[in-house]
Amino acid sequence: MMFNAKITGTGSYLPEKIVTNKDFESIIDTTDEWIFARTGIKQRHVVAAHESASSMAEIAAKKALEAAGIQASDIDLIIVGTSTPDKTFPSTACLLQNLLGAGDCAAFDVQAACSGFIYGLGIAHQFIKAGGAKKALIIGSEANSRILNMEDRSTCVIFGDGAGAVVLEASEEQGILSTHLHTDGQYQDMLFVNNPIKDQKQHGEQAYMTMLGNDVYKVAVKTLGRIVDETLDANNMQKSDVDWLIPHQANIRIISSVAKKLNMPMEKVVLTIENQGNTSAASIPLALDLAVRDGRVKPNDVVLMEAFGGGFVWGSALVRM
């Protein structure tokens, strides 16, 4: 028997500390105007010393559980999308399960860079369709600031920290209409973080993020344009059938190009990039929670979510709320 899956609750968390573009002017050769013109970012949130991917995920998850009207003990699957886990192992999902008191349900991380939440949502969807889970918790949580070289202008001004979560439940209604996941490893050297442990010996370099921004931008625009067509074709839908675009918040120019592909006015695109920066796997669930709670995204609205990240990995989800 195949089951449908529906998002029944959303939640999010942003660290208290805010770093503005002006703050970077005293650290590196840049200006507020330069950063905003090229990225659309004005500020970003940064984790405190006592915070981590799991602690942020806990707060976001509890809000999503409350919104769904269920307890942590009801959850039978936890998936965390993160590239900045608390530890190499146990997984951040394992740590989160313990923090929530969620019993002995399956819990694991997905490492798909900025596409981590979409990958997690796609996996949870398949679990529920196959009857392997009834209530799943999917989180994107990132402490990006801990893998940034604050002297590298190409990365340090772009990324921020935060966590977003959704509860996905088996349902008679079709909530998740389709998910689409792709990878192309030939681009691995355009956006990456080195493993600090190499050949089981301590690697000499700090594990900082490296990004060839212009090259990433060119591939992202082409790739996300294709996945819009793929997603609509799979559902026999027209561009006009999509009520909202909730994109990964990577760069305002990339977001604008996808909106143009959909013939969608920017008023129907949920944007958080100006105040949050690129929160990697957390950006889509953070934006979704914001739009649900402020009333923009309403029940039965059709939402297209799409993401692109290091690997390259990319994916989309078409959802009826």
Side-chain angles (χ1 to χ4, degrees), residues 176-223:
I176 307 295
L177 303 178
S178 68
T179 57
H180 308 266
L181 309 176
H182 296 281
T183 304
D184 191 338
Q186 70 173 305
Y187 299 107
Q188 60 189 278
D189 293 330
M190 289 186 184
L191 178 53
F192 66 91
V193 177
N194 278 323
N195 188 342
I197 303 298
K198 185 177 182 182
D199 299 329
Q200 302 305 308
K201 298 177 182 178
Q202 191 68 36
H203 197 284
E205 303 171 6
Q206 170 68 37
Y208 288 140
M209 187 184 303
T210 299
M211 180 171 68
L212 304 180
N214 288 336
D215 295 323
V216 173
Y217 171 80
K218 291 173 185 175
V219 180
V221 169
K222 292 179 182 178
T223 302

Side-chain angles (χ1 to χ4, degrees), residues 42-62:
K42 280 282 188 181
Q43 65 177 43
R44 68 288 293 149
H45 293 253
V46 175
V47 288
H50 67 278
E51 293 181 307
S52 65
S54 67
S55 71
M56 292 190 292
E58 178 189 11
I59 298 170
K62 285 180 175 178

